[in-house]
Amino acid sequence: MTDNMQYHIQCKDGDINRYVLLPGDPDRVDLIAQEWDERKFIASHREYRTYSGTFCGVKLSACSTGIGGPSSSIAIEELAELGADTFIRIGTCGAVREGISCGELVICSGAMRQDGTSDDYIDKSYPALAHHEIVLALIQACENLGISYHVGISCTTASFYCGQARPGFNGYTQSGFSHKIQDLQNAGVMNFEMEAAAILTLAGIYGLRAGAVFAVVADRNNNVLEYSGIDDTIRAANEAVKILASWDSLKQEKNKRFYYPDITGGN
């Protein structure tokens, strides 16, 4: 296609910046872009809605992925083709570990690969890990903004109902549903969600940077549903991009490949 136009996201060369925020919901792209200093609508096609702009002088983009691994993998493939190399997934989740409340954030350090999509790319033994710089940037962003957060492993599932130990239509269930949450708790898993494993796996294979931050909207231990914390994920992700850009500039200045705490010469 002309100008390297991408089939699904309908974006072309020059449309996408290096840093990209990835909400699932197309409407959330508008909320993200409202926080920027400048914004330009790029495209809206199927589940993919895209803006590019600047935040605190940093050029960035936001593109929705829809729900689940298949559509998320398409977004990564096509955005990377247009030059994006740093991705932050912004989503919602259900908390599994005790002590995590609705409205708080979970910063994903890695994900269990129950998504299905990542299996098409690599053997299950390959880990879905968040890039350490993005994890650190999200932590610093939450600290800067005074946002309550947790850090740990997520469980990415291919289905919202049975995959997350909920009954299906007409109460359909399997014996494993009854102990899945307890098994995850025993392993210290933080939450259920549906996109991170595919995004992190593809980023690892392709040498890109990716991470994820989620608003807790369901407390599965206490059967509480509260749709809150979305604004905080947007604030944290935008702030994290600003932080990453400053670190990337510093790495270039110091001729270093990775950011590390003593890179500034401190203790």
Side-chain angles (χ1 to χ4, degrees):
M1 302 178 73
T2 59
D3 298 321
N4 204 21
M5 176 69 73
Q6 296 301 298
Y7 181 73
H8 295 90
I9 64 174
Q10 291 289 291
C11 299
K12 62 185 185 302
D13 287 336
D15 285 340
I16 301 300
N17 294 308
R18 175 183 187 183
Y19 307 98
V20 183
L21 305 182
L22 300 172
D25 183 355
D27 290 340
R28 203 168 299 159
V29 177
D30 299 289
L31 297 177
I32 293 168
Q34 285 175 12
E35 301 296 317
W36 298 349
D37 306 314
E38 299 175 341
R39 67 202 63 79
K40 178 184 178 182
F41 171 74
I42 303 298
S44 185
H45 184 241
R46 299 188 180 187
E47 59 265 68
Y48 305 105
R49 184 170 177 83
T50 307
Y51 272 83
S52 287
T54 61
F55 178 74
C56 295
V58 179
K59 293 181 179 180
L60 73 172
S61 300
C63 177
S64 55
T65 65
I67 297 174
S71 58
S72 296
S73 69
I74 289 171
I76 294 294
E77 293 278 5
E78 297 189 1
L79 290 164
E81 183 67 28
L82 296 177
D85 67 7
T86 301
F87 302 91
I88 300 179
R89 160 81 181 137
I90 303 174
T92 57
C93 72
V96 170
R97 203 189 73 177
E98 295 182 0
I100 302 178
S101 301
C102 290
E104 295 182 321
L105 304 191
V106 172
I107 297 170
C108 177
S109 59
M112 295 175 64
R113 290 174 49 201
Q114 297 182 7
D115 61 300
T117 299
S118 62
D119 295 349
D120 285 345
Y121 285 82
I122 191 68
D123 182 271
K124 273 285 193 187
S125 61
Y126 188 92
L129 296 178
H131 194 279
H132 73 281
E133 291 176 348
I134 296 185
V135 173
L136 289 174
L138 286 167
I139 290 171
Q140 182 169 322
C142 288
E143 292 286 349
N144 290 352
L145 298 171
I147 296 171
S148 180
Y149 68 94
H150 304 265
V151 182
I153 301 295
S154 301
C155 179
T156 302
T157 63
S159 68
F160 178 79
Y161 291 98
C162 293
Q164 297 185 10
R166 296 181 177 94
F169 176 63
N170 278 340
Y172 173 79
T173 187
Q174 292 278 292
S175 60
F177 294 7
S178 62
H179 57 75
K180 182 169 186 175
I181 289 178
Q182 183 63 61
D183 288 347
L184 295 177
Q185 288 175 339
N186 292 343
V189 174
M190 310 291 283
N191 61 299
F192 282 125
E193 63 85 47
M194 296 184 66
E195 292 80 24
I199 292 169
L200 300 181
T201 300
L202 267 65
I205 291 170
Y206 293 152
L208 309 171
R209 294 187 299 186
V213 59
F214 312 106
V216 176
V217 298
D219 176 354
R220 296 296 302 275
N221 293 291
N222 298 300
N223 198 29
V224 175
L225 180 66
E226 181 183 311
Y227 208 72
S228 60
I230 304 299
D231 290 345
D232 283 341
T233 62
I234 292 172
R235 293 169 58 221
N238 279 324
E239 179 76 4
V241 167
K242 183 180 73 173
I243 292 165
L244 284 165
S246 69
W247 292 349
D248 289 341
S249 178
L250 185 58
K251 288 187 297 182
Q252 185 175 22
E253 175 188 333
K254 301 289 186 178
N255 194 29
K256 298 293 184 180
R257 289 186 60 199
F258 302 107
Y259 175 81
Y260 53 93
D262 283 349
I263 197 171
T264 59
N267 297 320

